[in-house]
Amino acid sequence: MALVVVAAGGWFGYQRLTTPSCSGELPLVVSAAPEIAPAMQSVADQWRIDGGAVGDTCVAVRIVASDPVDVAAVLAGQHGVALAGVGQASGTAVAPDVWVPDSSTWLLRLSSLAPGFSPDNNESVARSPVVVAMPEPVATTLGWPSQQLTWTDLLQQITTGINLRTGIVEPTRDAAGLSGLLALGAAASEAGENAQQATTAALRTLATGRSALREDLLARFPRSADPASVASSLSAAALSEEDVIEYNATEPPIALAALYLEPAPMSLDYPYAVLPGADPAKAAAADGFFELLDEAAFRNQLGDRGLRAPDGTWGAGFSAPQGAPSPAGTAQATNEPESGGSAAGGLDPVVIDRALATWTSVTLPARMLAVIDVSGSMLEPVPSADNATRAEVTREAARRGLGLFDDSWALGLWTFSTELDGEQDWRELVPISPLSSQRATLEASLAEVVPKQGGGTGLFDTSLAAYLTVQDGWAAGRVNSVVVFTDGRNEDDNGLTQEQLLAELAEVADPQRPIQMIYVGIGDEVSQQELESITEVTGGGVFVTEDPANIGDILLKAIALRPTTVR
């Protein structure tokens, strides 16, 4: 009896010493990419057992495994912006206190569009290099594992060879797919005069094997060791190292090799982003939880999940793919391996925007009417373009854009000024029809885009006529749009007023048959407010550059603008 009493008293005393002395509960919601969420949950559970607190208040960390694209959609909606290819948020996604997406590119994309999006901390808590995943029999034909391959080698294989069936997860929605796209694009850009041709060829090849979901892409790797199955299945895709480890853990008939191509593409870097608006108590709780993610216990938890520490090395339990270097990958979202600093450093968001805009313009079928201003002001020289005229700069941008579109596109071409065709402000050069049958005609017709001496800008009448033309032949399953290039504001005193135009558009607009009105404004005489009043009725967007030499990049952004759904 005495021993029992002593033992009970000792246990009671131990409980008093180890039970958290805090009271109440401060909830901290952390949305984390699904692959890192279990490791973070283990740390959160242990912190609660150990009495994690802010002052005298207990902290209850709730880890929510969330696909980064879903959280990005929520945050974009909160800030009134739209990320290309992301769409609207699902009904189940919520805005957390802390967000740990798989890549800092999500933070960069959001902050470049929404200046109010400025999360704190942003330090990397894990890393997974982006690799090219290949079935091992395919990889051996390329010299794996002894030969070091480059992205230029891969580009040559997929654009000139016939043996590789390539795929990609939609890069507007997947960070590993975006990383592979950027790396391949960088390799193509080194092709000199053939850079655009190489880029277009690579993107079109990738697009034939793209998937909306990573799980769908992985399911297309060979499910049988039969040579015919290997030859007909997916043979190369940019994925994370963690994807390869997880796939091989299921012991598939043919394992995947992870090829670490040079130069190292941007890794998944798992930034710890404390979102704007957190109150001081939650910000303190977020800081306290972050400190635990820098300890050896978390590093080993990451290893068990196929993830590396932020420095690119690995902890206990990591099943390294054959030939995996250590360290590996880039330290953050930057083109400079092992560069220190925050996880959101380095990479120019303009580079990301351009890559995604090019991808969208190349891969998404569309039906478009291009309408080019030929008013007298388009004769003005552009000093930053060797004094080529505004019209010449616009023609060249249109010619380059035409080279990006594949034969699935349908395209038409108009010009406009005032009284260009009798009393009519616009003239049809080429009707909207498939590029497969009229690419050469369109290229030749660009030579007819010649400014009218003394001509004004008949913007309003032309905009309505173009909208009605596209609406008349509206095509389901495509993006239907009008792209208007202009360097001025409406100058047709005999045509529609702004109020009349908006009333006409409001009357004919059909939400079941959406049409994007996209305006590319050139120079400092464009009225952005005038143009935005139109797109507020029709949908679409306004893109203005004061330097016409930048019209190429502006055009890509404009073409990449897509409605949330394509009916």
Side-chain angles (χ1 to χ4, degrees):
M1 179 65 71
L3 287 173
V4 170
V5 170
V6 170
W11 172 245
F12 178 75
Y14 173 77
Q15 281 190 307
R16 291 293 299 271
L17 288 172
T18 59
T19 299
S21 59
C22 56
S23 62
E25 184 173 276
L26 175 65
L28 184 72
V29 179
V30 179
S31 280
E35 62 271 22
I36 198 174
M40 297 185 70
Q41 186 64 63
S42 295
V43 174
D45 292 343
Q46 188 60 52
W47 197 35
R48 185 163 191 165
I49 292 172
D50 294 342
V54 171
D56 295 329
T57 306
C58 298
V59 177
V61 180
R62 180 165 70 95
I63 307 295
V64 181
S66 303
D67 194 324
V69 70
D70 292 333
V71 181
V74 171
L75 298 176
Q78 285 186 337
H79 289 269
V81 299
L83 294 180
V86 168
Q88 296 179 338
S90 65
T92 58
V94 297
D97 302 309
V98 178
W99 184 27
V100 184
D102 54 4
S103 172
S104 293
T105 55
W106 291 111
L107 308 182
L108 289 167
R109 291 175 66 187
L110 280 165
S111 61
S112 68
L113 292 175
F117 181 78
S118 54
D120 292 328
N121 192 311
N122 302 322
E123 292 288 338
S124 174
V125 297
R127 186 193 301 185
S128 188
V130 171
V131 301
V132 174
M134 285 187 181
E136 289 187 353
V138 177
T140 56
T141 66
L142 300 181
W144 175 84
S146 58
Q147 185 174 340
Q148 175 65 62
L149 297 176
T150 67
W151 285 95
T152 301
D153 296 330
L154 180 65
L155 179 66
Q156 184 175 9
Q157 286 286 335
I158 67 176
T159 55
T160 63
I162 59 173
N163 296 324
L164 286 186
R165 292 177 176 268
T166 55
I168 190 171
V169 185
E170 177 60 50
T172 59
R173 301 174 61 86
D174 182 83
L178 173 57
S179 177
L181 180 69
L182 290 169
L184 205 59
S189 69
E190 298 176 358
E193 294 181 356
N194 297 321
Q196 184 179 26
Q197 181 180 353
T199 300
T200 303
L203 297 191
R204 287 179 180 166
T205 302
L206 288 176
T208 60
R210 64 178 167 176
S211 294
L213 300 174
R214 199 177 313 172
E215 293 77 10
D216 293 342
L217 187 78
L218 288 165
R220 291 166 45 208
F221 282 113
R223 294 296 177 177
S224 166
D226 178 70
S229 175
V230 175
S232 61
S233 300
L234 182 67
S235 50
L239 293 167
S240 71
E241 181 185 66
E242 184 272 335
D243 288 328
V244 174
I245 293 172
E246 183 180 12
Y247 182 89
N248 287 341
T250 65
E251 299 183 356
I254 295 183
L256 292 181
L259 276 61
Y260 298 80
L261 270 57
E262 292 292 339
M266 182 177 57
S267 294
L268 303 188
D269 58 352
Y270 300 90
Y272 187 88
V274 182
L275 297 184
D279 62 57
K282 285 196 174 184
D287 290 344
F289 184 56
F290 173 74
E291 292 178 4
L292 302 176
L293 304 181
D294 193 34
E295 297 182 356
F298 181 62
R299 175 190 177 95
N300 292 334
Q301 288 280 353
L302 292 174
D304 289 338
R305 298 290 172 177
L307 295 168
R308 297 175 183 240
D311 64 359
T313 61
W314 60 67
F318 184 80
S319 299
Q322 184 176 354
S326 179
T330 55
Q332 57 186 42
T334 175
N335 290 329
E336 300 177 4
E338 301 302 322
S339 57
S342 71
L347 189 65
D348 187 349
V350 173
V351 175
I352 297 175
D353 287 346
R354 184 182 297 123
L356 292 179
T358 304
W359 166 262
T360 303
S361 65
V362 168
T363 61
L364 188 60
R367 181 174 175 274
M368 175 193 293
L369 176 59
V371 185
I372 300 178
D373 189 345
V374 290
S375 59
S377 56
M378 291 290 283
L379 287 168
E380 290 191 16
V382 180
S384 55
D386 295 327
N387 286 321
T389 66
R390 290 177 176 177
E392 289 170 336
V393 171
T394 303
R395 280 203 307 265
E396 178 61 18
R399 186 189 67 79
R400 289 179 175 273
L402 183 61
L404 292 174
F405 310 147
D406 66 20
D407 287 347
S408 68
W409 279 60
L411 199 65
L413 178 63
W414 288 10
T415 55
F416 78 101
S417 179
T418 48
E419 298 182 345
L420 190 62
D421 189 2
E423 295 183 354
Q424 184 175 281
D425 289 343
W426 65 94
R427 176 182 293 140
E428 180 181 82
L429 300 183
V430 183
I432 302 173
S433 51
L435 267 178
S436 57
S437 62
Q438 69 168 18
R439 188 180 294 273
T441 302
L442 276 163
E443 289 178 349
S445 295
L446 285 172
E448 299 180 42
V449 179
V450 178
K452 175 184 176 181
Q453 289 278 3
T457 306
L459 182 66
F460 292 161
D461 282 13
T462 302
S463 292
L464 179 60
Y467 186 92
L468 292 174
T469 297
V470 173
Q471 188 181 59
D472 184 54
W474 190 89
R478 292 174 176 266
V479 176
N480 294 260
S481 62
V482 178
V483 178
V484 180
F485 301 82
T486 183
D487 71 342
R489 61 189 67 202
N490 186 67
E491 296 172 332
D492 184 1
D493 295 332
N494 299 318
L496 294 170
T497 66
Q498 184 175 9
E499 292 74 17
Q500 290 171 332
L501 171 64
L502 299 181
E504 291 269 8
L505 288 172
E507 183 176 348
V508 300
D510 182 356
Q512 298 303 312
R513 304 169 72 200
I515 296 170
Q516 300 275 91
M517 289 293 291
I518 300 169
Y519 290 91
V520 179
I522 309 162
D524 57 4
E525 298 173 12
V526 175
S527 171
Q528 185 156 346
Q529 183 178 12
E530 183 177 81
L531 299 178
E532 287 176 346
S533 72
I534 300 172
T535 59
E536 285 174 2
V537 176
T538 63
V542 177
F543 301 83
V544 177
T545 174
E546 292 192 3
D547 183 355
N550 295 329
I551 191 174
D553 284 345
I554 294 295
L555 175 59
L556 280 177
K557 277 189 175 183
I559 293 171
L561 185 66
R562 292 295 185 259
T564 303
T565 58
V566 178
R567 296 183 181 275

PDB file of all heavy atoms in Angstrom, residues 537-564:
ATOM      1  N   VAL A 537     -17.973  45.731 -69.410  1.00  0.00           N
ATOM      2  CA  VAL A 537     -19.241  45.208 -69.931  1.00  0.00           C
ATOM      3  C   VAL A 537     -19.045  43.838 -70.575  1.00  0.00           C
ATOM      4  O   VAL A 537     -19.841  42.921 -70.374  1.00  0.00           O
ATOM      5  CB  VAL A 537     -19.850  46.192 -70.955  1.00  0.00           C
ATOM      6  CG1 VAL A 537     -21.117  45.606 -71.581  1.00  0.00           C
ATOM      7  CG2 VAL A 537     -20.151  47.524 -70.299  1.00  0.00           C
ATOM      8  N   THR A 538     -17.968  43.683 -71.332  1.00  0.00           N
ATOM      9  CA  THR A 538     -17.790  42.482 -72.150  1.00  0.00           C
ATOM     10  C   THR A 538     -16.948  41.398 -71.502  1.00  0.00           C
ATOM     11  O   THR A 538     -17.041  40.226 -71.873  1.00  0.00           O
ATOM     12  CB  THR A 538     -17.112  42.852 -73.477  1.00  0.00           C
ATOM     13  OG1 THR A 538     -15.804  43.385 -73.196  1.00  0.00           O
ATOM     14  CG2 THR A 538     -17.923  43.884 -74.234  1.00  0.00           C
ATOM     15  N   GLY A 539     -16.105  41.782 -70.547  1.00  0.00           N
ATOM     16  CA  GLY A 539     -15.053  40.874 -70.102  1.00  0.00           C
ATOM     17  C   GLY A 539     -13.838  41.084 -70.974  1.00  0.00           C
ATOM     18  O   GLY A 539     -13.920  41.600 -72.095  1.00  0.00           O
ATOM     19  N   GLY A 540     -12.690  40.702 -70.465  1.00  0.00           N
ATOM     20  CA  GLY A 540     -11.444  40.897 -71.200  1.00  0.00           C
ATOM     21  C   GLY A 540     -10.458  41.694 -70.381  1.00  0.00           C
ATOM     22  O   GLY A 540     -10.426  41.600 -69.152  1.00  0.00           O
ATOM     23  N   GLY A 541      -9.654  42.516 -71.024  1.00  0.00           N
ATOM     24  CA  GLY A 541      -8.655  43.271 -70.283  1.00  0.00           C
ATOM     25  C   GLY A 541      -8.013  44.343 -71.133  1.00  0.00           C
ATOM     26  O   GLY A 541      -8.117  44.345 -72.375  1.00  0.00           O
ATOM     27  N   VAL A 542      -7.349  45.277 -70.462  1.00  0.00           N
ATOM     28  CA  VAL A 542      -6.660  46.395 -71.114  1.00  0.00           C
ATOM     29  C   VAL A 542      -5.188  46.330 -70.730  1.00  0.00           C
ATOM     30  O   VAL A 542      -4.845  46.253 -69.540  1.00  0.00           O
ATOM     31  CB  VAL A 542      -7.266  47.749 -70.689  1.00  0.00           C
ATOM     32  CG1 VAL A 542      -6.482  48.899 -71.314  1.00  0.00           C
ATOM     33  CG2 VAL A 542      -8.735  47.813 -71.073  1.00  0.00           C
ATOM     34  N   PHE A 543      -4.314  46.381 -71.731  1.00  0.00           N
ATOM     35  CA  PHE A 543      -2.872  46.322 -71.500  1.00  0.00           C
ATOM     36  C   PHE A 543      -2.245  47.500 -72.232  1.00  0.00           C
ATOM     37  O   PHE A 543      -2.344  47.599 -73.463  1.00  0.00           O
ATOM     38  CB  PHE A 543      -2.296  45.006 -72.028  1.00  0.00           C
ATOM     39  CG  PHE A 543      -2.904  43.781 -71.395  1.00  0.00           C
ATOM     40  CD1 PHE A 543      -4.106  43.263 -71.863  1.00  0.00           C
ATOM     41  CD2 PHE A 543      -2.289  43.157 -70.322  1.00  0.00           C
ATOM     42  CE1 PHE A 543      -4.676  42.147 -71.288  1.00  0.00           C
ATOM     43  CE2 PHE A 543      -2.855  42.037 -69.734  1.00  0.00           C
ATOM     44  CZ  PHE A 543      -4.055  41.533 -70.210  1.00  0.00           C
ATOM     45  N   VAL A 544      -1.622  48.385 -71.480  1.00  0.00           N
ATOM     46  CA  VAL A 544      -1.087  49.617 -72.064  1.00  0.00           C
ATOM     47  C   VAL A 544       0.409  49.694 -71.806  1.00  0.00           C
ATOM     48  O   VAL A 544       0.876  49.453 -70.685  1.00  0.00           O
ATOM     49  CB  VAL A 544      -1.784  50.867 -71.475  1.00  0.00           C
ATOM     50  CG1 VAL A 544      -1.155  52.138 -72.042  1.00  0.00           C
ATOM     51  CG2 VAL A 544      -3.278  50.835 -71.776  1.00  0.00           C
ATOM     52  N   THR A 545       1.168  50.026 -72.833  1.00  0.00           N
ATOM     53  CA  THR A 545       2.590  50.295 -72.673  1.00  0.00           C
ATOM     54  C   THR A 545       2.901  51.627 -73.336  1.00  0.00           C
ATOM     55  O   THR A 545       2.511  51.880 -74.485  1.00  0.00           O
ATOM     56  CB  THR A 545       3.471  49.194 -73.283  1.00  0.00           C
ATOM     57  OG1 THR A 545       4.846  49.591 -73.213  1.00  0.00           O
ATOM     58  CG2 THR A 545       3.112  48.907 -74.735  1.00  0.00           C
ATOM     59  N   GLU A 546       3.572  52.513 -72.617  1.00  0.00           N
ATOM     60  CA  GLU A 546       3.941  53.806 -73.197  1.00  0.00           C
ATOM     61  C   GLU A 546       5.069  53.663 -74.208  1.00  0.00           C
ATOM     62  O   GLU A 546       5.230  54.498 -75.084  1.00  0.00           O
ATOM     63  CB  GLU A 546       4.333  54.785 -72.087  1.00  0.00           C
ATOM     64  CG  GLU A 546       3.154  55.190 -71.212  1.00  0.00           C
ATOM     65  CD  GLU A 546       3.479  56.365 -70.311  1.00  0.00           C
ATOM     66  OE1 GLU A 546       4.608  56.890 -70.408  1.00  0.00           O
ATOM     67  OE2 GLU A 546       2.601  56.758 -69.519  1.00  0.00           O
ATOM     68  N   ASP A 547       5.857  52.575 -74.072  1.00  0.00           N
ATOM     69  CA  ASP A 547       6.938  52.339 -75.030  1.00  0.00           C
ATOM     70  C   ASP A 547       6.485  51.250 -76.007  1.00  0.00           C
ATOM     71  O   ASP A 547       6.402  50.079 -75.653  1.00  0.00           O
ATOM     72  CB  ASP A 547       8.204  51.886 -74.298  1.00  0.00           C
ATOM     73  CG  ASP A 547       9.387  51.703 -75.243  1.00  0.00           C
ATOM     74  OD1 ASP A 547       9.190  51.839 -76.475  1.00  0.00           O
ATOM     75  OD2 ASP A 547      10.497  51.420 -74.757  1.00  0.00           O
ATOM     76  N   PRO A 548       6.182  51.608 -77.247  1.00  0.00           N
ATOM     77  CA  PRO A 548       5.698  50.618 -78.213  1.00  0.00           C
ATOM     78  C   PRO A 548       6.666  49.464 -78.446  1.00  0.00           C
ATOM     79  O   PRO A 548       6.258  48.411 -78.926  1.00  0.00           O
ATOM     80  CB  PRO A 548       5.505  51.447 -79.500  1.00  0.00           C
ATOM     81  CG  PRO A 548       5.305  52.844 -79.026  1.00  0.00           C
ATOM     82  CD  PRO A 548       6.187  52.968 -77.811  1.00  0.00           C
ATOM     83  N   ALA A 549       7.939  49.652 -78.116  1.00  0.00           N
ATOM     84  CA  ALA A 549       8.898  48.565 -78.295  1.00  0.00           C
ATOM     85  C   ALA A 549       8.583  47.376 -77.402  1.00  0.00           C
ATOM     86  O   ALA A 549       9.060  46.264 -77.642  1.00  0.00           O
ATOM     87  CB  ALA A 549      10.318  49.071 -78.009  1.00  0.00           C
ATOM     88  N   ASN A 550       7.769  47.595 -76.370  1.00  0.00           N
ATOM     89  CA  ASN A 550       7.406  46.505 -75.452  1.00  0.00           C
ATOM     90  C   ASN A 550       6.149  45.766 -75.884  1.00  0.00           C
ATOM     91  O   ASN A 550       5.635  44.931 -75.143  1.00  0.00           O
ATOM     92  CB  ASN A 550       7.178  47.063 -74.042  1.00  0.00           C
ATOM     93  CG  ASN A 550       8.442  47.637 -73.442  1.00  0.00           C
ATOM     94  OD1 ASN A 550       9.542  47.177 -73.737  1.00  0.00           O
ATOM     95  ND2 ASN A 550       8.293  48.653 -72.611  1.00  0.00           N
ATOM     96  N   ILE A 551       5.652  46.045 -77.063  1.00  0.00           N
ATOM     97  CA  ILE A 551       4.369  45.489 -77.459  1.00  0.00           C
ATOM     98  C   ILE A 551       4.395  43.961 -77.553  1.00  0.00           C
ATOM     99  O   ILE A 551       3.374  43.304 -77.359  1.00  0.00           O
ATOM    100  CB  ILE A 551       3.897  46.111 -78.803  1.00  0.00           C
ATOM    101  CG1 ILE A 551       2.444  45.723 -79.074  1.00  0.00           C
ATOM    102  CG2 ILE A 551       4.798  45.703 -79.941  1.00  0.00           C
ATOM    103  CD1 ILE A 551       1.855  46.405 -80.289  1.00  0.00           C
ATOM    104  N   GLY A 552       5.557  43.381 -77.837  1.00  0.00           N
ATOM    105  CA  GLY A 552       5.639  41.921 -77.926  1.00  0.00           C
ATOM    106  C   GLY A 552       5.251  41.250 -76.623  1.00  0.00           C
ATOM    107  O   GLY A 552       4.419  40.330 -76.599  1.00  0.00           O
ATOM    108  N   ASP A 553       5.844  41.708 -75.520  1.00  0.00           N
ATOM    109  CA  ASP A 553       5.512  41.143 -74.206  1.00  0.00           C
ATOM    110  C   ASP A 553       4.070  41.444 -73.836  1.00  0.00           C
ATOM    111  O   ASP A 553       3.368  40.611 -73.253  1.00  0.00           O
ATOM    112  CB  ASP A 553       6.452  41.704 -73.130  1.00  0.00           C
ATOM    113  CG  ASP A 553       7.835  41.075 -73.191  1.00  0.00           C
ATOM    114  OD1 ASP A 553       7.969  40.027 -73.851  1.00  0.00           O
ATOM    115  OD2 ASP A 553       8.762  41.636 -72.599  1.00  0.00           O
ATOM    116  N   ILE A 554       3.607  42.657 -74.162  1.00  0.00           N
ATOM    117  CA  ILE A 554       2.229  43.028 -73.857  1.00  0.00           C
ATOM    118  C   ILE A 554       1.262  42.123 -74.619  1.00  0.00           C
ATOM    119  O   ILE A 554       0.243  41.672 -74.082  1.00  0.00           O
ATOM    120  CB  ILE A 554       1.976  44.501 -74.213  1.00  0.00           C
ATOM    121  CG1 ILE A 554       2.807  45.417 -73.310  1.00  0.00           C
ATOM    122  CG2 ILE A 554       0.505  44.834 -74.096  1.00  0.00           C
ATOM    123  CD1 ILE A 554       2.428  45.356 -71.851  1.00  0.00           C
ATOM    124  N   LEU A 555       1.571  41.827 -75.875  1.00  0.00           N
ATOM    125  CA  LEU A 555       0.709  40.956 -76.676  1.00  0.00           C
ATOM    126  C   LEU A 555       0.597  39.575 -76.058  1.00  0.00           C
ATOM    127  O   LEU A 555      -0.488  38.995 -75.992  1.00  0.00           O
ATOM    128  CB  LEU A 555       1.245  40.865 -78.102  1.00  0.00           C
ATOM    129  CG  LEU A 555       0.506  39.889 -79.031  1.00  0.00           C
ATOM    130  CD1 LEU A 555      -0.960  40.275 -79.152  1.00  0.00           C
ATOM    131  CD2 LEU A 555       1.173  39.852 -80.405  1.00  0.00           C
ATOM    132  N   LEU A 556       1.716  39.047 -75.587  1.00  0.00           N
ATOM    133  CA  LEU A 556       1.682  37.726 -74.953  1.00  0.00           C
ATOM    134  C   LEU A 556       0.781  37.734 -73.725  1.00  0.00           C
ATOM    135  O   LEU A 556      -0.011  36.810 -73.507  1.00  0.00           O
ATOM    136  CB  LEU A 556       3.099  37.298 -74.551  1.00  0.00           C
ATOM    137  CG  LEU A 556       3.972  36.722 -75.666  1.00  0.00           C
ATOM    138  CD1 LEU A 556       5.362  36.423 -75.127  1.00  0.00           C
ATOM    139  CD2 LEU A 556       3.347  35.470 -76.249  1.00  0.00           C
ATOM    140  N   LYS A 557       0.900  38.772 -72.912  1.00  0.00           N
ATOM    141  CA  LYS A 557       0.038  38.878 -71.736  1.00  0.00           C
ATOM    142  C   LYS A 557      -1.428  38.954 -72.141  1.00  0.00           C
ATOM    143  O   LYS A 557      -2.298  38.338 -71.529  1.00  0.00           O
ATOM    144  CB  LYS A 557       0.396  40.119 -70.915  1.00  0.00           C
ATOM    145  CG  LYS A 557       1.556  39.940 -69.967  1.00  0.00           C
ATOM    146  CD  LYS A 557       1.651  41.169 -69.062  1.00  0.00           C
ATOM    147  CE  LYS A 557       2.723  40.972 -68.011  1.00  0.00           C
ATOM    148  NZ  LYS A 557       2.784  42.119 -67.076  1.00  0.00           N
ATOM    149  N   ALA A 558      -1.685  39.725 -73.178  1.00  0.00           N
ATOM    150  CA  ALA A 558      -3.062  39.902 -73.618  1.00  0.00           C
ATOM    151  C   ALA A 558      -3.652  38.589 -74.114  1.00  0.00           C
ATOM    152  O   ALA A 558      -4.784  38.225 -73.785  1.00  0.00           O
ATOM    153  CB  ALA A 558      -3.118  40.964 -74.714  1.00  0.00           C
ATOM    154  N   ILE A 559      -2.888  37.863 -74.915  1.00  0.00           N
ATOM    155  CA  ILE A 559      -3.381  36.605 -75.455  1.00  0.00           C
ATOM    156  C   ILE A 559      -3.587  35.581 -74.349  1.00  0.00           C
ATOM    157  O   ILE A 559      -4.482  34.736 -74.414  1.00  0.00           O
ATOM    158  CB  ILE A 559      -2.408  36.075 -76.524  1.00  0.00           C
ATOM    159  CG1 ILE A 559      -2.408  37.010 -77.730  1.00  0.00           C
ATOM    160  CG2 ILE A 559      -2.774  34.667 -76.959  1.00  0.00           C
ATOM    161  CD1 ILE A 559      -1.332  36.695 -78.733  1.00  0.00           C
ATOM    162  N   ALA A 560      -2.752  35.656 -73.321  1.00  0.00           N
ATOM    163  CA  ALA A 560      -2.851  34.689 -72.224  1.00  0.00           C
ATOM    164  C   ALA A 560      -4.071  34.927 -71.351  1.00  0.00           C
ATOM    165  O   ALA A 560      -4.447  34.064 -70.560  1.00  0.00           O
ATOM    166  CB  ALA A 560      -1.596  34.748 -71.359  1.00  0.00           C
ATOM    167  N   LEU A 561      -4.697  36.095 -71.482  1.00  0.00           N
ATOM    168  CA  LEU A 561      -5.884  36.381 -70.684  1.00  0.00           C
ATOM    169  C   LEU A 561      -7.009  35.466 -71.136  1.00  0.00           C
ATOM    170  O   LEU A 561      -7.374  35.437 -72.304  1.00  0.00           O
ATOM    171  CB  LEU A 561      -6.294  37.842 -70.859  1.00  0.00           C
ATOM    172  CG  LEU A 561      -7.446  38.328 -69.986  1.00  0.00           C
ATOM    173  CD1 LEU A 561      -7.055  38.321 -68.524  1.00  0.00           C
ATOM    174  CD2 LEU A 561      -7.883  39.717 -70.410  1.00  0.00           C
ATOM    175  N   ARG A 562      -7.539  34.704 -70.206  1.00  0.00           N
ATOM    176  CA  ARG A 562      -8.555  33.734 -70.549  1.00  0.00           C
ATOM    177  C   ARG A 562      -9.713  33.838 -69.571  1.00  0.00           C
ATOM    178  O   ARG A 562      -9.509  34.114 -68.388  1.00  0.00           O
ATOM    179  CB  ARG A 562      -7.991  32.305 -70.495  1.00  0.00           C
ATOM    180  CG  ARG A 562      -6.955  32.011 -71.588  1.00  0.00           C
ATOM    181  CD  ARG A 562      -7.614  32.081 -72.949  1.00  0.00           C
ATOM    182  NE  ARG A 562      -6.735  31.694 -74.030  1.00  0.00           N
ATOM    183  CZ  ARG A 562      -6.121  32.550 -74.829  1.00  0.00           C
ATOM    184  NH1 ARG A 562      -6.254  33.833 -74.633  1.00  0.00           N
ATOM    185  NH2 ARG A 562      -5.369  32.127 -75.823  1.00  0.00           N
ATOM    186  N   PRO A 563     -10.950  33.589 -70.036  1.00  0.00           N
ATOM    187  CA  PRO A 563     -12.067  33.548 -69.094  1.00  0.00           C
ATOM    188  C   PRO A 563     -11.902  32.384 -68.148  1.00  0.00           C
ATOM    189  O   PRO A 563     -11.152  31.437 -68.423  1.00  0.00           O
ATOM    190  CB  PRO A 563     -13.286  33.357 -70.007  1.00  0.00           C
ATOM    191  CG  PRO A 563     -12.741  32.762 -71.258  1.00  0.00           C
ATOM    192  CD  PRO A 563     -11.354  33.300 -71.411  1.00  0.00           C
ATOM    193  N   THR A 564     -12.598  32.426 -67.001  1.00  0.00           N
ATOM    194  CA  THR A 564     -12.483  31.363 -66.011  1.00  0.00           C
ATOM    195  C   THR A 564     -12.878  30.026 -66.597  1.00  0.00           C
ATOM    196  O   THR A 564     -12.282  28.991 -66.313  1.00  0.00           O
ATOM    197  CB  THR A 564     -13.375  31.681 -64.801  1.00  0.00           C
ATOM    198  OG1 THR A 564     -12.991  32.950 -64.282  1.00  0.00           O
ATOM    199  CG2 THR A 564     -13.219  30.632 -63.729  1.00  0.00           C
TER     200      THR A 564
END
